[in-house]
mmCIF file with all atom_site columns, all heavy atoms in Angstrom:
data_model
loop_
_atom_site.group_PDB
_atom_site.id
_atom_site.type_symbol
_atom_site.label_atom_id
_atom_site.label_alt_id
_atom_site.label_comp_id
_atom_site.label_asym_id
_atom_site.label_entity_id
_atom_site.label_seq_id
_atom_site.pdbx_PDB_ins_code
_atom_site.Cartn_x
_atom_site.Cartn_y
_atom_site.Cartn_z
_atom_site.occupancy
_atom_site.B_iso_or_equiv
_atom_site.pdbx_formal_charge
_atom_site.auth_seq_id
_atom_site.auth_comp_id
_atom_site.auth_asym_id
_atom_site.auth_atom_id
_atom_site.pdbx_PDB_model_num
ATOM 1  N N   . PRO B 1 11 ? 78.798 18.630 98.153  1.00 42.00 ? 701 PRO B N   1
ATOM 2  C CA  . PRO B 1 11 ? 78.953 20.074 97.962  1.00 42.00 ? 701 PRO B CA  1
ATOM 3  C C   . PRO B 1 11 ? 79.867 20.462 96.865  1.00 42.00 ? 701 PRO B C   1
ATOM 4  O O   . PRO B 1 11 ? 79.857 21.598 96.465  1.00 42.00 ? 701 PRO B O   1
ATOM 5  C CB  . PRO B 1 11 ? 79.461 20.515 99.315  1.00 42.00 ? 701 PRO B CB  1
ATOM 6  C CG  . PRO B 1 11 ? 80.027 19.334 99.926  1.00 42.00 ? 701 PRO B CG  1
ATOM 7  C CD  . PRO B 1 11 ? 79.271 18.169 99.415  1.00 42.00 ? 701 PRO B CD  1
ATOM 8  N N   . ASP B 1 12 ? 80.690 19.510 96.350  1.00 42.00 ? 702 ASP B N   1
ATOM 9  C CA  . ASP B 1 12 ? 81.642 19.884 95.344  1.00 42.00 ? 702 ASP B CA  1
ATOM 10 C C   . ASP B 1 12 ? 81.089 19.795 93.933  1.00 42.00 ? 702 ASP B C   1
ATOM 11 O O   . ASP B 1 12 ? 81.793 19.783 92.944  1.00 42.00 ? 702 ASP B O   1
ATOM 12 C CB  . ASP B 1 12 ? 82.888 19.023 95.452  1.00 42.00 ? 702 ASP B CB  1
ATOM 13 C CG  . ASP B 1 12 ? 82.533 17.523 95.420  1.00 42.00 ? 702 ASP B CG  1
ATOM 14 O OD1 . ASP B 1 12 ? 81.341 17.250 95.711  1.00 42.00 ? 702 ASP B OD1 1
ATOM 15 O OD2 . ASP B 1 12 ? 83.407 16.745 95.056  1.00 42.00 ? 702 ASP B OD2 1
ATOM 16 N N   . GLU B 1 13 ? 79.766 19.755 93.797  1.00 41.00 ? 703 GLU B N   1
ATOM 17 C CA  . GLU B 1 13 ? 79.183 19.617 92.463  1.00 41.00 ? 703 GLU B CA  1
ATOM 18 C C   . GLU B 1 13 ? 78.835 20.930 91.849  1.00 41.00 ? 703 GLU B C   1
ATOM 19 O O   . GLU B 1 13 ? 78.020 20.978 90.919  1.00 41.00 ? 703 GLU B O   1
ATOM 20 C CB  . GLU B 1 13 ? 77.930 18.730 92.552  1.00 41.00 ? 703 GLU B CB  1
ATOM 21 C CG  . GLU B 1 13 ? 78.196 17.385 91.875  1.00 41.00 ? 703 GLU B CG  1
ATOM 22 C CD  . GLU B 1 13 ? 76.916 16.677 91.556  1.00 41.00 ? 703 GLU B CD  1
ATOM 23 O OE1 . GLU B 1 13 ? 75.878 17.341 91.370  1.00 41.00 ? 703 GLU B OE1 1
ATOM 24 O OE2 . GLU B 1 13 ? 76.935 15.431 91.535  1.00 41.00 ? 703 GLU B OE2 1
ATOM 25 N N   . GLY B 1 14 ? 79.316 22.013 92.436  1.00 40.00 ? 704 GLY B N   1
ATOM 26 C CA  . GLY B 1 14 ? 78.982 23.297 91.908  1.00 40.00 ? 704 GLY B CA  1
ATOM 27 C C   . GLY B 1 14 ? 77.608 23.684 92.379  1.00 40.00 ? 704 GLY B C   1
ATOM 28 O O   . GLY B 1 14 ? 76.946 24.608 91.863  1.00 40.00 ? 704 GLY B O   1
ATOM 29 N N   . MET B 1 15 ? 77.039 22.907 93.241  1.00 42.00 ? 705 MET B N   1
ATOM 30 C CA  . MET B 1 15 ? 75.670 23.152 93.723  1.00 42.00 ? 705 MET B CA  1
ATOM 31 C C   . MET B 1 15 ? 75.711 23.260 95.252  1.00 42.00 ? 705 MET B C   1
ATOM 32 O O   . MET B 1 15 ? 75.565 22.300 95.959  1.00 42.00 ? 705 MET B O   1
ATOM 33 C CB  . MET B 1 15 ? 74.803 21.907 93.338  1.00 42.00 ? 705 MET B CB  1
ATOM 34 C CG  . MET B 1 15 ? 73.336 22.227 93.411  1.00 42.00 ? 705 MET B CG  1
ATOM 35 S SD  . MET B 1 15 ? 72.741 22.984 91.974  1.00 42.00 ? 705 MET B SD  1
ATOM 36 C CE  . MET B 1 15 ? 73.239 21.677 90.785  1.00 42.00 ? 705 MET B CE  1
ATOM 37 N N   . PRO B 1 16 ? 76.077 24.444 95.683  1.00 43.00 ? 706 PRO B N   1
ATOM 38 C CA  . PRO B 1 16 ? 76.287 24.583 97.117  1.00 43.00 ? 706 PRO B CA  1
ATOM 39 C C   . PRO B 1 16 ? 75.063 24.133 97.886  1.00 43.00 ? 706 PRO B C   1
ATOM 40 O O   . PRO B 1 16 ? 73.970 24.739 97.676  1.00 43.00 ? 706 PRO B O   1
ATOM 41 C CB  . PRO B 1 16 ? 76.535 26.094 97.348  1.00 43.00 ? 706 PRO B CB  1
ATOM 42 C CG  . PRO B 1 16 ? 76.086 26.727 96.066  1.00 43.00 ? 706 PRO B CG  1
ATOM 43 C CD  . PRO B 1 16 ? 76.230 25.717 95.016  1.00 43.00 ? 706 PRO B CD  1
ATOM 44 N N   . PRO B 1 17 ? 75.262 23.211 98.791  1.00 43.00 ? 707 PRO B N   1
ATOM 45 C CA  . PRO B 1 17 ? 74.087 22.709 99.454  1.00 43.00 ? 707 PRO B CA  1
ATOM 46 C C   . PRO B 1 17 ? 73.444 23.698 100.455 1.00 43.00 ? 707 PRO B C   1
ATOM 47 O O   . PRO B 1 17 ? 72.302 23.582 100.728 1.00 43.00 ? 707 PRO B O   1
ATOM 48 C CB  . PRO B 1 17 ? 74.633 21.503 100.285 1.00 43.00 ? 707 PRO B CB  1
ATOM 49 C CG  . PRO B 1 17 ? 76.080 21.678 100.342 1.00 43.00 ? 707 PRO B CG  1
ATOM 50 C CD  . PRO B 1 17 ? 76.500 22.555 99.109  1.00 43.00 ? 707 PRO B CD  1
#
Side-chain angles (χ1 to χ4, degrees):
Chain B
D702 55 338
E703 250 196 29
M705 196 85 59

